[in-house]
Amino acid sequence: MTENTQTPSSPTSELPTTYAPAEVEGKLYERWVERGYFEADAKSEKPAYTIVIPPPNVTGSLHLGHAFQHTLMDALTRRKRMQGYESLWLPGMDHAGIATQNKVEQQLAEEGKSRHDLGREEFTDRVWKWKEEYGGKILGQMRRLGDGVDWSRERFTMDEGLSKAVQTIFKRLYDDELIYRAERIINWCPRCLTAISDIEVEYQDDAGELVSIRYGEGEESLVVATTRAETMLGDTAVAVHPDDERYAHLIGKQIKLPLTDRTIPVVADTHVDPEFGTGAVKVTPAHDPNDFAIGQRHDLQSLTVMDEHGVITVHGPFLGLDRFEARSAIVGALREQGRIVAEKRPYMHSVGHCSRCKTTVEPRLSMQWWVKVGPLAQAAGDAVRDGRVKIHPEDMSKRYFDWVDNMHDWCISRQLWWGHRIPIWYGPEGQVVCVGPDEQPPTGEGWTQDADVLDTWFSSGLWPFSTLGWPERTPDLEKFYATDVLLTGHDIIFFWVARMMMFGLYAMDGVAPFHTIALTGLVRDEFGKKMSKSNPNAVDPLDWMDKYGSDAVRFTLAKGANPGADVPIGEDWVQASSKFANKIWNATRFALMNGATIEGELPPVERLSATDRWILSRLNKTVAQVDGYYEDYQFSKLSEALYHFAWDEVFDWYVELSKTTFFAGGEQAQVSGRVLGEVVDVMLRLLHPIVPFVTETLWTTLTGGESLVIADWPKDSGFRDEAAEAEIASVQSVITEVRRFRKEQGLQDGQKVPARLDLGATALGAHEAAIRQLLRLQPEGDSFSATATLPVAGGTVALDLSGTIDVAAERKRLTKDLGAAEKEKQQAEAKLGNEAFIAKAPDNVVDKIKGRLAKAEADIARLQAQLDGLPAA
């Protein structure tokens, strides 16, 4: 529990009767920013707590995935700030090379121009202007969500400092022979005209065609199958398995390649699966990564037969055709020659598409720049294996190791104009010079800089330390590196997480960029389906914020956040969270109107009622429980715990049980008012990191404090009162049982019923007034007639239902329900008594039947008691 001796300065009347998020959220956020609450001080002696935001694309806008992860990161940093940490959540954006360049090229296309009409320098100036005018829309949306980021440290992957970091690490890697240039197969987008990374390739099942083609003649022929007939023009071999007896006589021989004047060898390679198809595969080293590897092993020529636009560049009749036009033309020509052995269409198969423009990706042999990832990936794996970095949840570690332990060299060059230009200069005599950030590039006739730019993952891989001033040893870097936790989706563990690990360990002398990698799932619709703009299930979180408030969206997302698991979300759930925010508002207003206060110390235990002691015991247990869930990144569980504590225990039980005390006034009302103030104060503190707006408004009214953002996080005082908890549990049991009976009788909630309470010598007697008030039970009068008697914890409750129910009809209904319960019990007992069934049935089935038996027995006892309590017919 917390101590707070401030005096409230705002009367309850300042709180509107209903909560209107739109009138509160924007003003509150700007106040937080203006007062510098989110700014971190590198000179502070407080311990540091650091999170760097996964930088959203400058072209992006807030989607539910962003809102989800930002809510969790904000909750972590807000709590740590309240716990006394110098909490830094550093914001920024990624320049998003292809996406941003495409935006500007689309603008130019509307003007009838291309980037080549402008030239490189003028085009990049145009992109910078676009960025200033249209980019960064998401930053304003982050404010709308309530992101408590340090805006004074906002970074952009192409600002001056980060550009220096990129050039520095490129130079170091190059000098250490970890960056090299080579001709390899890459993913090529014929529309964007650049190499793209694996993460920028989206695979989907397309309806294509599978054609089987006979190569060679007579006994010296074989059949290959392909979905890309156009690439046969670049075939330089046919491969078979060395142990495949069907083709043993052909290995090492030359066979005629159809439609050309070339012959190609038959080679033996263990990569070929003799059980798949015909057991013979065409080899096109310049247009397929597996074929390229075969070509390397057998010293085959690599023939490029398409240009960067996907247009055929060889062989007369097909020269100049688009790849898909050439596919049809080539199949037609082969059919005319009788070379087509079989055709299957449509043939559904997985095809890669550019995630930006949806163009079919073309594997292409290309001269590119590469990072030699072997030693870097080894270090990234070791940091997790030896415990320096923990992956949460732990079962995600396998996916991480599967990637870093089998990582291929990384293609880092892109054929774009927007991005960090590769700092390599070529001389007139074939010289190659890598230039660092503080070095002058070579000058003179014939010297040119490499035209390519770096993959955006290269610069974002430096994010945890470049944003803190590296390569300089800045105060920020000394204070806030390594960062504490990386919270991100499991879908980019391979691409962004692994790259940050490799670069952080390399650049920072073996110090990993974060202590914990907390992986989340992906947000899906309420039916578990992936959200997509092409589907009608895509949701703009801003629409929900407009309708229900940011707190409601945040709480819904946090409540669904189980570590590593996908998060289903629907509007009904956001609406329910909105009701929770309103419940907090209304109940706090009630508390304030009934004397809730934080003035002075809590009264000594001997002055507290059992109800007061119960809620304080539950309060401290909740503080401890929430702390444990935070440390384990169990956002769903901590949200559920807070929801049930606030709604059920504070509002539905403590406030209701205490109403008689408050209405009676006097000393005990003052004691309970102080307890209620304490409980509401701590509850609002606990809720604040997830629902910051409504809690801030209520807490400052209750306490007169400056802001919850800089308030203390609650601590578990250790106070426990198991006896009080047991006592109130008995009270709850009585009330719940009688409420259920009233509902079964069809009584209205507000309908008053005469009753006699015989609560024996237990402590329940002290709660009779509260029990009667909550159950609408009148005192028994002179004409009282007990028409129903209910056994309850510690005694009985006799009700006079004369004139309120049809006793005969009620006896008939209860008798029918009792018969059904007895039948259910007999069936469950019969199954559990069948040894043959028990021997074969799975444990979960047996447990389910045991549960049915227990429920049936409880129902029988309850129904029999209700029958016994009815008057004779």
Side-chain angles (χ1 to χ4, degrees):
M1 289 180 285
T2 60
E3 293 184 6
N4 194 325
T5 57
Q6 290 177 288
T7 302
S9 59
S10 300
T12 310
S13 59
E14 290 186 5
L15 288 176
T17 54
T18 57
Y19 178 52
E23 297 176 11
V24 170
E25 294 177 348
K27 295 175 183 177
L28 267 187
Y29 188 82
E30 291 309 315
R31 183 192 306 164
W32 291 334
V33 173
E34 288 170 5
R35 294 183 178 181
Y37 292 154
F38 304 137
E39 294 180 13
D41 183 2
K43 297 179 182 178
S44 169
E45 295 183 0
K46 297 178 182 178
Y49 183 82
T50 315
I51 293 182
V52 288
I53 204 167
N57 286 350
V58 66
T59 60
S61 59
L62 190 74
H63 56 64
L64 274 175
H66 289 129
F68 170 55
Q69 292 181 359
H70 287 207
T71 294
L72 305 188
M73 286 184 278
D74 195 32
L76 290 172
T77 50
R78 283 178 182 268
R79 172 175 174 263
K80 285 295 184 179
R81 188 179 292 112
M82 294 173 74
Q83 286 183 313
Y85 286 80
E86 197 62 37
S87 189
L88 170 62
W89 186 19
L90 196 151
M93 293 184 298
D94 190 275
H95 63 281
I98 295 177
T100 308
Q101 179 158 320
N102 279 348
K103 290 281 188 183
V104 179
E105 289 197 85
Q106 288 167 11
Q107 279 189 344
L108 290 174
E110 293 172 2
E111 301 170 12
K113 299 177 183 177
S114 75
R115 58 175 162 137
H116 300 284
D117 294 322
L118 273 65
R120 184 169 193 143
E121 185 174 348
E122 188 176 344
F123 176 77
T124 53
D125 286 344
R126 177 79 174 250
V127 181
W128 275 108
K129 290 177 182 177
W130 181 92
K131 183 258 182 186
E132 294 303 319
E133 186 172 356
Y134 300 105
K137 176 182 179 183
I138 193 172
L139 298 179
Q141 296 168 338
M142 287 164 54
R143 302 170 88 94
R144 178 73 187 282
L145 184 65
D147 283 7
V149 295
D150 185 347
W151 293 109
S152 71
R153 285 178 166 83
E154 180 188 339
R155 303 306 299 267
F156 179 55
T157 48
M158 282 186 60
D159 67 30
E160 183 178 352
L162 269 63
S163 295
K164 180 178 181 180
V166 168
Q167 197 171 354
T168 298
I169 202 162
F170 187 100
K171 169 72 171 175
R172 292 187 186 180
L173 290 165
Y174 182 85
D175 289 346
D176 287 344
E177 299 183 349
L178 293 173
I179 283 183
Y180 64 95
R181 195 176 187 226
E183 196 173 39
R184 301 272 182 84
I185 294 286
I186 45 88
N187 301 308
W188 181 265
C189 176
R191 156 62 182 80
C192 298
L193 299 180
T194 181
I196 59 177
S197 66
D198 291 338
I199 197 173
E200 293 163 325
V201 179
E202 294 179 347
Y203 288 90
Q204 65 184 47
D205 286 341
D206 285 358
E209 60 181 347
L210 180 68
V211 293
S212 297
I213 310 168
R214 182 174 297 280
Y215 284 24
E217 307 292 342
E219 292 295 321
E220 296 188 350
S221 69
L222 38 67
V223 175
V224 301
T226 182
T227 58
R228 301 168 67 216
E230 69 279 8
T231 63
M232 69 167 292
L233 301 176
D235 286 358
T236 54
V238 172
V240 298
H241 195 277
D243 299 331
D244 194 334
E245 295 182 358
R246 293 172 294 175
Y247 304 116
H249 66 292
L250 290 177
I251 295 174
K253 292 187 177 181
Q254 296 280 328
I255 61 172
K256 180 71 184 304
L257 177 65
L259 303 182
T260 73
D261 57 1
R262 293 190 291 118
T263 60
I264 56 177
V266 177
V267 299
D269 197 282
T270 55
H271 171 76
V272 179
D273 180 1
E275 303 299 324
F276 184 78
T278 64
V281 298
K282 59 190 286 300
V283 181
T284 320
H287 293 278
D288 183 273
N290 293 323
D291 293 2
F292 179 78
I294 294 174
Q296 293 286 294
R297 289 193 289 271
H298 297 277
D299 198 25
L300 301 176
Q301 185 180 6
S302 295
L303 297 179
T304 300
V305 298
M306 275 179 265
D307 66 13
E308 63 271 23
H309 298 280
V311 173
I312 301 299
T313 58
V314 298
H315 205 70
F318 311 112
L319 182 66
L321 293 180
D322 173 82
R323 53 187 168 155
F324 301 118
E325 296 173 334
R327 182 176 299 173
S328 298
I330 288 171
V331 170
L334 290 168
R335 192 182 295 112
E336 288 180 6
Q337 292 186 6
R339 293 278 179 181
I340 300 296
V341 176
E343 297 181 66
K344 183 177 181 180
R345 64 170 67 88
Y347 177 72
M348 301 303 296
H349 63 130
S350 182
V351 178
H353 296 261
C354 175
S355 63
R356 304 296 181 190
C357 66
K358 311 308 177 186
T359 301
T360 300
V361 169
E362 190 66 37
R364 173 180 171 83
L365 185 64
S366 180
M367 182 67 75
Q368 301 285 344
W369 285 94
W370 304 80
V371 171
K372 186 184 295 181
V373 299
L376 302 174
Q378 175 70 43
D382 289 346
V384 175
R385 287 190 175 91
D386 63 25
R388 281 176 287 158
V389 177
K390 297 185 183 302
I391 293 180
H392 186 84
E394 191 175 354
D395 57 10
M396 286 283 181
S397 298
K398 183 180 183 302
R399 297 182 65 188
Y400 176 81
F401 292 132
D402 286 346
W403 179 253
V404 297
D405 292 346
N406 300 284
M407 195 181 296
H408 300 294
D409 284 0
W410 170 22
C411 176
I412 56 172
S413 47
R414 299 290 180 266
Q415 290 63 56
L416 304 171
W417 287 355
W418 173 246
H420 295 102
R421 194 166 177 181
I422 290 176
I424 294 288
W425 269 257
Y426 303 106
E429 305 300 326
Q431 306 99 312
V432 178
V433 175
C434 181
V435 177
D438 300 318
E439 300 172 350
Q440 291 296 321
T443 57
E445 187 175 350
W447 282 93
T448 58
Q449 186 177 358
D450 195 296
D452 290 350
V453 300
L454 289 163
D455 177 12
T456 56
W457 295 106
F458 191 94
S459 52
S460 60
L462 314 180
W463 192 254
F465 52 94
S466 64
T467 53
L468 298 173
W470 188 90
E472 307 301 328
R473 300 300 298 191
T474 63
D476 275 3
L477 193 67
E478 296 290 343
K479 177 75 174 178
F480 297 112
Y481 188 91
T483 68
D484 286 85
V485 60
L486 171 72
L487 191 144
T488 190
H490 62 64
D491 55 326
I492 59 173
I493 187 173
F494 313 128
F495 306 102
W496 189 47
V497 178
R499 282 156 172 70
M500 286 191 290
M501 285 287 284
M502 291 191 300
F503 281 165
L505 290 161
Y506 174 80
M508 297 300 295
D509 302 320
V511 179
F514 15 75
H515 302 306
T516 300
I517 301 169
L519 297 170
T520 70
L522 308 179
V523 178
R524 298 185 178 273
D525 71 12
E526 58 193 305
F527 305 107
K529 294 182 180 179
K530 182 180 179 181
M531 288 190 177
S532 169
K533 291 181 180 178
S534 59
N535 294 330
N537 65 351
V539 173
D540 185 344
L542 295 171
D543 291 341
W544 282 350
M545 289 184 211
D546 288 340
K547 196 170 183 180
Y548 302 109
S550 298
D551 281 336
V553 174
R554 289 169 63 112
F555 191 74
T556 306
L557 291 166
K559 204 174 179 186
N562 289 301
D566 288 347
V567 183
I569 185 173
E571 186 169 1
D572 288 349
W573 305 342
V574 183
Q575 188 175 22
S577 294
S578 175
K579 291 179 180 177
F580 178 52
N582 287 325
K583 182 75 170 180
I584 298 170
W585 183 271
N586 293 331
T588 302
R589 286 188 79 254
F590 171 85
L592 289 166
M593 289 188 293
N594 286 275
T597 179
I598 61 161
E599 291 188 65
E601 299 291 333
L602 277 172
V605 173
E606 58 270 16
R607 293 180 60 196
L608 302 178
S609 69
T611 308
D612 294 335
R613 297 196 307 276
W614 163 73
I615 196 61
L616 291 174
S617 183
R618 292 297 307 133
L619 176 68
N620 279 281
K621 285 184 178 180
T622 300
V623 171
Q625 188 179 36
V626 168
D627 278 337
Y629 286 145
Y630 261 116
E631 296 306 314
D632 200 34
Y633 304 99
Q634 297 279 1
F635 294 98
S636 178
K637 290 182 178 179
L638 73 88
S639 299
E640 287 284 353
L642 287 170
Y643 177 89
H644 289 297
F645 175 72
W647 193 305
D648 299 342
E649 297 186 305
V650 178
F651 303 145
D652 279 359
W653 284 112
Y654 180 72
V655 168
E656 294 299 321
L657 289 171
S658 300
K659 277 184 177 178
T660 53
T661 301
F662 291 134
F663 294 161
E667 182 181 347
Q668 192 56 50
Q670 292 178 351
V671 169
S672 292
R674 179 64 185 90
V675 170
L676 180 56
E678 180 76 9
V679 170
V680 173
D681 173 20
V682 174
M683 179 195 71
L684 293 174
R685 293 172 193 255
L686 291 174
L687 282 164
H688 176 73
I690 296 176
V691 284
F693 295 108
V694 66
T695 53
E696 172 85 340
T697 306
L698 294 171
W699 185 84
T700 52
T701 301
L702 170 70
T703 69
E706 182 180 344
S707 173
L708 261 179
V709 179
I710 55 173
D712 291 338
W713 181 254
K715 294 180 180 178
D716 173 12
S717 71
F719 177 79
R720 301 288 189 274
D721 194 325
E722 301 300 335
E725 291 198 40
E727 182 175 327
I728 299 304
S730 296
V731 175
Q732 292 171 326
S733 175
V734 170
I735 293 171
T736 301
E737 186 62 32
V738 177
R739 277 176 173 167
R740 180 167 61 181
F741 178 78
R742 287 177 58 108
K743 185 175 182 181
E744 289 171 347
Q745 305 310 310
L747 298 177
Q748 297 298 316
D749 289 343
Q751 188 171 353
K752 294 182 178 180
V753 177
R756 177 190 301 130
L757 275 61
D758 181 4
L759 302 178
T762 67
L764 283 172
H767 301 279
E768 181 170 340
I771 292 172
R772 284 185 176 276
Q773 179 176 321
L774 291 176
L775 291 172
R776 304 295 190 268
L777 301 181
Q778 292 179 318
E780 54 187 297
D782 294 338
S783 60
F784 179 82
S785 174
T787 58
T789 303
L790 303 178
V792 294
T796 59
V797 175
L799 304 173
D800 183 353
L801 302 178
S802 303
T804 61
I805 64 168
D806 183 333
V807 175
E810 181 61 16
R811 182 175 293 280
K812 183 177 179 181
R813 183 186 71 81
L814 290 172
T815 302
K816 180 181 176 181
D817 291 347
L818 180 61
E822 288 173 339
K823 183 178 179 181
E824 175 73 5
K825 177 186 176 185
Q826 292 169 2
Q827 291 176 342
E829 287 177 333
K831 285 188 176 181
L832 293 174
N834 186 333
E835 294 183 3
F837 170 78
I838 295 298
K840 294 180 180 179
D843 290 344
N844 65 319
V845 173
V846 174
D847 290 341
K848 187 175 182 180
I849 295 172
K850 288 180 179 177
R852 284 169 50 192
L853 176 60
K855 182 178 183 302
E857 290 174 338
D859 287 343
I860 289 170
R862 176 175 56 83
L863 292 165
Q864 188 62 60
Q866 291 178 15
L867 274 169
D868 294 343
L870 289 175

